[in-house]
Amino acid sequence: MLRATLKSLLARKLRLLLSGLAVVLGVMFVSGAFVLTDTLGRSFDSVFADAYSELDVSVEAKPKIDASMTGGAPVSTSVPAALLDRVKAIPGVADAQGVVAADGARLIGSNGKAVTSFGPPQLGENWPGESGLLTMREGRPPQADDEIVVNAALAKAAGVRVGDRVGVLTLVPKKEFTLVGVFGYSGGRDSIGGANEICFTTPVAQQLMLGKPDVFSSVSVRATDGTTPQALRDEVARTLGADYQVKTGEQLADDASAGLKEGLSFFNKILLGFAAVALLVGTFLILNTFSIIVAQRTRELALMRAIGASGRQVIGSVVLEALAVGLIASVLGLAAGIGVGALLAYLFGQLAGGLTLAGLGVPASAVIGAFAVGMLITVLAALLPAVRASRIPPIAAMQDVATPDRPLTKVTVSGAVVTGIGAVLLFLGLGGHVRGNTLATILGGVLFTFIGVALLTPLISRPVVGLLGMLFSWSVPGKLGRLNSGRNPRRTAITAAALMVGIALVTGVTVILDSAKGSIGALAEDTIKAELVIAGPSSGARPATFDPAVLERTAAIPGVRLVDGEYGDMAVVGGERTWVAAPSNVAALQAIFGAKAVAGDISRLAPGQMLVNEDTAKARNLSVGSTVPVQLSRGEARTYTVSGIYVSSQLTNPVTLPPQAAVDFAIPQPIQGFVQLAPGTSVDAVRPQVERLLADSPEVSVADRAAFIKQQTSQLDSLLQMIQILLALAIVIAVLGIINTLALSVLERTRELGLLRAIGLRRAQTMRMITVEAVVISIFGALLGVVVGAGLGAAVVEALRDEGITDLILPWGQMVTFLVLAAIIGVVAAVLPAIRAARINVLGAIAHE
């Protein structure tokens, strides 16, 4: 039985490997995800170990708010310069230096634009002096208040040289400096971990990056000979008390690396998610392949049963073939995954500003995951055909067997039950009834829905395929192709289901994102009563800002009725983390955002007063006169009195503080500005004047309301494009499935094709017949995908109605495009099987058994 199985496998190796390609792609993503995270993880370990190699102990003040947990801008809580002398007097301290290092220093390049960073920080620092790690490559250290040095990576990115006069953006508006030096790091590195660094003199760094003189971000400590970093840490911590965080350089390196690794888990989940999609689609492909092969081998398997093979041996034979395919696919997928992981790590390193990568490693998780997933999926997909093969009666060996259609009752009932389970899971997940398991429940609901629809598809395939086929029935090849596509509803359904999954996911995501864009746009259009908006891109950890003086100068432009600048920050309000805003003009709350008072007066705010929206007031049981403690990113905690409550809106902030509070925000500059014009004033007349006022703020621009809305929703377009590109993988696998199904179908119908050729069907007509069959199946799968995807997307939009997504927008144009694309996919998939069918030897085909 083993020899017979191996011979059978070798006889069909091309067909089986074609189906195994789906598993190869799925395994590639699984192993690639683990290789990527392992390589980058070790790279970050090395980078931070090197960065903190010359630091024994660091002393920092405990932050007032943990910005990393709130999503706000990172804030360096400063320590007084007097602390430096206290640290130097501690036994075991050889030397201590005050360090200024804070994110948010942006250099304006030679093109007049601020240099951006995708991930690594943009540090503003005081010059630490040369060491074994850091050396000056050109020029000299900064000595005057208007001098800076930058690392080599930033100098290249900005296109600047020593001697250039450059602009720098920090906590204050643009300032001009002379670039007097460029530095680098040991090993010929231009940066550490891709960070952009600008070094000032210490007094300037303190003022620009920390907001006040005579303070430091931290104190760097070196231990005396014979004193271990751990012992020095304990002594410093005991001396300074609980107001300070004291860590060794090794701890800082571990913490920094762990933070970035946590961010890498996002990429890992994305890759594993697309691996799951590839494997789901691949399961349909493998199931179809083995079903067709078992059907073609009916007489062979029946003969084995007749000469003594048991049902268990037949099952073992089919499963063994699946194991062989899974093993080969896993090996190829692992190899491809290693390559993909290495490529993605390289691209990530380049995007991060030239991150020095550790040697490529293949963790055990990548190998185990590759073989476990690849072989398990293949065997599970082949199990049902294997069981079906074991039930072939021996008498079939003595008959001219044609595989009859089996009743669809069982599969229809099963499909209804599975679809019902999927619907229940989606209802629970989207309705927020499962709390911490929301994402898992929704994903489970989507999975059960796809499987359920796939099981129900045979019930509708024959009538729907028949209707679609009528579009091509104007010729004999078209009629034959239509009949062939509806001949076996199960086979057609499984083939179409593979394409359905990919198109359903793309359609569903498109519905959700288009609805979100439409809802945001409609809400902003109805709510924002300002003709011009000053803002920068809404991406990055630190939003773009501009000089507050721009607001006063804009208000003086003829035809301008009202100007408001919006400051924002994360704060701890009444013990809970909350986004707070501080408008420069409190009247804008009503005049520009249309807020209406529920209680109290919302037209003015005195120092020490605050406004809250209705939802916040209800959630925290607040009323006019309530007092609430507020801790901002800077300064000490203050108690504010609620002076007014306004109607909630998706665009109104939960808490509004007086303008004076903005000085203690992480970024004490306006993030957005709103300009309301007097009736009859032309936008085109005012906008150029505002643009000139923003000449020193290259990160922001002024736009009309429509352009502003488009700018703020552009990230959704980028997200949609990324998802569409990655989900194209599922469509590629579906094409493989159609090719495989048609190729096996052509082989199965060899004698039939020979007879058709014998009675006059020409080669070109034979090719058209196969092409029609492929196009009908493809359009059927795309139609299923569009309907299922639109339904899932509509369900998610309905569930998110309370979150502000109120408009359901169906992308009709894209859905029609998917159907047209499906027709093209069908034509492409039919090429090889059609050529093979056309080249069949007529006499040999008629004699074929």
Side-chain angles (χ1 to χ4, degrees), residues 46 54 163 187 205 218 222 563 622 629 726 753:
S46 176
E54 297 187 356
S218 63
R222 293 285 294 174
V563 176
L622 299 176
L726 291 174
L753 292 170

Side-chain angles (χ1 to χ4, degrees), residues 370-381:
F371 285 96
V373 169
M375 298 181 71
L376 182 64
I377 291 294
T378 310
V379 171
L380 287 177

